[in-house]
Amino acid sequence: DTEVTQTPKHLVMGMTNKKSLKCEQHMGHRAMYWYKQKAKKPPELMFVYSYEKLSINESVPSRFSPECPNSSLLNLHLHALQPEDSALYLCASSPHDRDRNTEAFFGQGTRLTVV
Amino acid sequence: AQKVTQAQTEISVVEKEDVTLDCVYETRDTTYYLFWYKQPPSGELVFLIRRNSFDEQNEISGRYSWNFQKSTSSFNFTITASQVVDSAVYFCALSEWGNQAGTALIFGKGTTLSVSS
C-alpha cells in the first residue's frame, strides 16, 4: 500500500465555520507533512510532523491547527478562515530515515473554498 | 538560501517530440536530494525521479531521463517520445540533509507541459 488518502476531496466552508481535513497513510512512515498550493503556484510547506511531534511550523497563522493523533493519521483543523485561504491542501508522508533517502508520497489533496 | 528555479513557464510540443525541462537549484548544504514530480489536473503530485547530491550518474528510466550536473547546479529532465498523457505541470524540488525531518521539499514554480496529438 503506497497510498496517502485525504478526505474530503472538496470542502466549501464559511468564514465562521470549523472544519477538519484528514490524512491517512499505512506505509509505516514517521514523517508527515501539510502543504498549501494556490492556483498556478507551487506547493508551499506548512507543517512537518516527525514521530508524531510537530517539528516544523512555517509561520502558519493560528487559524490552521495541525494534529497528529498517531503515526498513521494527520489532521488539519480549520477555524475562522479567510477567502484567501482557499487552496489545494496536500498531505504527504515519507520514511524518517536519513540513511535511506526517499521520495515523499502525496495524497490527492483537498480543494478548499472559503466563502 | 535554498532555491529552485524553473525558467520555463510553459512548453508546448507535438506528440513523439522529445522535451527537456530545465531546473537550477541553490543550496548551502553539501548533501541534498533533488526530485521531479508531475501534477496532472487531478491535483495529486506523482513522484518521477530522485537524485542524491553525491551521485552524479545520469540514468534513463523508460521514457524519462535526467541530467544532473553539480558544476552548474542543474537537474534537467527529459521525456522522450512525448505522449498526450504527459500533459501536466512538472515540478523540480530540493530537499536538504540539514532539514529537521524527513523530506520537506522546496519546489520550483513548475513548468506546464502541453502535448498535442
Side-chain angles (χ1 to χ4, degrees):
Chain A
D1 183 2
T2 57
E3 206 173 72
V4 176
T5 304
Q6 289 188 243
T7 56
K9 288 189 168 42
H10 300 273
L11 178 63
V12 179
M13 62 183 290
M15 290 187 284
T16 59
N17 291 160
K18 286 185 181 181
K19 296 287 185 182
S20 297
L21 309 184
K22 297 186 184 303
C23 175
E24 189 168 3
Q25 57 90 12
H26 296 287
M27 294 177 278
H29 292 171
R30 303 309 296 272
M32 295 187 74
Y33 316 79
W34 281 114
Y35 288 83
K36 174 181 177 180
Q37 186 178 22
K38 300 280 283 183
K40 300 190 184 300
K41 298 289 187 182
E44 294 182 342
L45 184 67
M46 300 175 71
F47 302 105
V48 179
Y49 270 84
S50 172
Y51 291 90
E52 295 89 71
K53 288 184 169 38
L54 182 65
S55 61
I56 295 177
N57 176 342
E58 293 285 2
S59 303
V60 179
S62 60
R63 58 186 183 269
F64 296 91
S65 176
E67 178 197 21
C68 190
N70 59 56
S71 60
S72 299
L73 294 174
L74 185 66
N75 298 322
L76 186 63
H77 302 297
L78 313 173
H79 174 55
L81 294 193
Q82 303 297 310
E84 58 265 29
D85 296 321
S86 298
L88 179 67
Y89 288 84
L90 292 160
C91 173
S93 71
S94 70
H96 189 289
D97 183 347
R98 290 186 175 185
D99 294 329
R100 183 169 58 98
N101 73 86
T102 184
E103 66 273 19
F105 293 82
F106 283 83
Q108 286 195 316
T110 295
R111 291 194 184 274
L112 174 68
T113 304
V114 181
V115 297
Chain B
Q2 52 191 330
K3 185 179 179 182
V4 177
T5 301
Q6 294 178 253
Q8 304 152 309
T9 305
E10 295 183 14
I11 299 177
S12 294
V13 299
V14 178
E15 257 192 324
K16 299 184 183 177
E17 282 187 37
D18 298 348
V19 57
T20 295
L21 308 181
D22 298 334
C23 174
V24 174
Y25 62 91
E26 295 176 31
T27 177
R28 287 176 293 189
D29 274 16
T30 55
T31 302
Y32 51 90
Y33 308 97
L34 296 163
F35 305 82
W36 277 97
Y37 280 87
K38 171 184 178 180
Q39 188 174 40
S42 60
E44 181 180 0
L45 280 161
V46 179
F47 166 76
L48 297 175
I49 55 177
R50 175 184 70 248
R51 182 51 62 191
N52 312 326
S53 58
F54 42 87
D55 181 1
E56 287 192 72
Q57 181 178 351
N58 294 312
E59 294 184 18
I60 297 174
S61 176
R63 294 189 300 112
Y64 300 152
S65 63
W66 52 96
N67 186 341
F68 175 36
Q69 293 192 358
K70 287 179 73 171
S71 60
T72 57
S73 296
S74 65
F75 184 50
N76 298 336
F77 172 61
T78 297
I79 302 173
T80 302
S82 59
Q83 300 173 3
V84 173
V85 294
D86 295 328
S87 298
V89 181
Y90 289 79
F91 289 101
C92 180
L94 166 71
S95 173
E96 296 177 326
W97 177 266
N99 276 337
Q100 294 177 29
T103 314
L105 296 168
I106 302 298
F107 287 90
K109 291 187 176 180
T111 298
T112 299
L113 174 64
S114 297
V115 182
S116 58
S117 57

